[in-house]
Amino acid sequence: MRVSVIGCGHLGIPHAAAMAELGHEVIGVDVDQAKVDRLNAGECPIYETGLPELLERHTASGRLRFTTDIREAAQFAELHFVGVGTPIDADGRSYDTAQVFGAIRALAPHLKRACTIVGKSTVTVGTTAQVTALAQRLAPAGTDVEVVWNPEFLREGHAVEDTLRPDRLIAGVTSAEGEKAIRAVYAGILDAGVPLFVCDPQTAELAKGAANTFLGLKISYINAVADMCAAAGGDISKIVDILGIDPRIGAAGMRPGIGYGGGCLPKDVRAFTASARQLGADQAAALLIAAEQINESRTDTAMGLILRAMGERPLHGARVTVLGAAFKPGTNDVRESPALALAQALHQAGGVVTVHDPQAVATAMMRNPELDYSSDLPTALDGAELVVLATEWPEYQQANPQELVDNPARPLLVDCRTTLDPEPWRAAGWTVHQLGRPGK
């Protein structure tokens, strides 16, 4: 098929590259000419595992190209994915859908033949109906323009994998033609056995928020239990193993740490909470608010652990290395990053903070320029008195603690993601503290 992807960010770029990988001819649309030029040169402005290689391969083959001219996309494609941003609104609760409606206002007047618009952005319930009315009113093709809502369930850091091999697809449709278009564009994925849930648009719109909010609840729950472990002297890692073996619960997504972040999960929980209130589901809203409050308190919890680990040593003036800036491994996205929030808190407490990250130094530096940064791990650790693991990159889990610092007086290590096996570090002379686990 001939496909356009409108919006070239953390959602749109991986989606466009993956559609080309599936064999479609793809044109990506963005308003930023500099970004479009980089993309057409095969250069990826964001980091996602496997994405640079995919982008380079398909821009070179001619199957994937980018433009700022939405008229060109309208004339070229028979199916248009809309993957623009929907940040949280000024009220801090609902989605700002201005970019979605802006994309439709730009695209629809150039739609002169039957086609399908497929919404990928996360939106408030009722958006599909509004988009459909607007598109069909503005488009010369009128009611021959179908609108389907197809929410994404991408994990940042795994966006390519999750687009090509998702665990499910959802299509919120109002007609057989809309369903037919979805089945055609995703034929290669569906043929591999991936289930497609066909439903009404309202269900599709709610599904994304429900899924992300449940993940947020799960993370906040295990973080609350980790706090109980810290108070009682218990071991949260053992509790996760005990709970995780229950098939009704499962251990996936239940790792204690400094909370969830990124461009999706925090805003989706806030917006879903707001939807619960608007729908009059007050008890549901109370449950979701509690999950938000637990997540928002995680920086304070981590700071408490760090101060206890430091003992009588002052944090003010101490040389601190924070391992990780991205909100999770596999991406350079630092939006609402718990790692950067913790680094900032350490800085404000008087620590001399250096942040290391395998991929996100440049993006973190733009967001928090007051911190020091290093892309070289030994350099970042040089002279450190306190090392704080804040993002669970495999580079840190696979590091040899014997080789990381030359100083025989090993620094104090505080693992705020509870992902390291502490024994090799302790054997190498490090003092290790972890959230929800006894320190030594």
Side-chain angles (χ1 to χ4, degrees), residues 107-185:
L107 173 68
H110 307 292
L111 299 178
K112 300 178 181 179
R113 64 182 188 278
C115 64
T116 304
I117 297 173
V118 180
K120 298 293 296 180
S121 306
T122 307
V123 294
T124 307
V125 178
T127 301
T128 306
Q130 296 172 1
V131 166
T132 301
L134 179 63
Q136 293 182 349
R137 177 169 62 84
L138 296 179
T143 55
D144 286 337
V145 176
E146 299 283 342
V147 177
V148 177
W149 221 262
N150 169 226
E152 50 85 15
F153 291 87
L154 307 183
R155 299 165 298 160
E156 283 199 50
H158 303 271
V160 171
E161 174 71 18
D162 288 349
T163 304
L164 292 174
R165 286 168 283 278
D167 49 19
R168 79 281 205 191
L169 290 169
I170 297 179
V173 304
T174 57
S175 70
E177 287 302 311
E179 179 181 346
K180 181 179 177 181
I182 286 291
R183 290 188 180 278
V185 76

Side-chain angles (χ1 to χ4, degrees), residues 221-222 225 238-247 249-251 254:
Y221 170 77
I222 205 61
V225 177
K238 297 297 183 185
I239 290 180
V240 170
D241 291 341
I242 292 165
L243 295 179
I245 204 167
D246 188 327
I249 299 174
M254 197 164 57

Side-chain angles (χ1 to χ4, degrees), residues 252-322:
M254 197 164 57
R255 182 186 297 119
I258 49 175
Y260 54 79
C264 294
L265 205 56
K267 71 169 183 176
D268 289 349
V269 175
R270 293 175 193 134
F272 204 68
T273 304
S275 291
R277 282 172 161 169
Q278 291 163 2
L279 293 168
D282 294 337
Q283 290 182 325
L287 174 65
L288 302 179
I289 289 168
E292 286 187 61
Q293 290 172 339
I294 290 170
N295 192 65
E296 290 166 1
S297 72
R298 297 314 292 169
T299 298
D300 291 340
T301 301
M303 285 295 291
L305 173 63
I306 290 167
L307 292 173
R308 290 192 300 274
M310 292 286 287
E312 296 182 358
R313 288 177 288 178
L315 180 56
H316 191 278
R319 298 190 64 177
V320 182
T321 298
V322 175

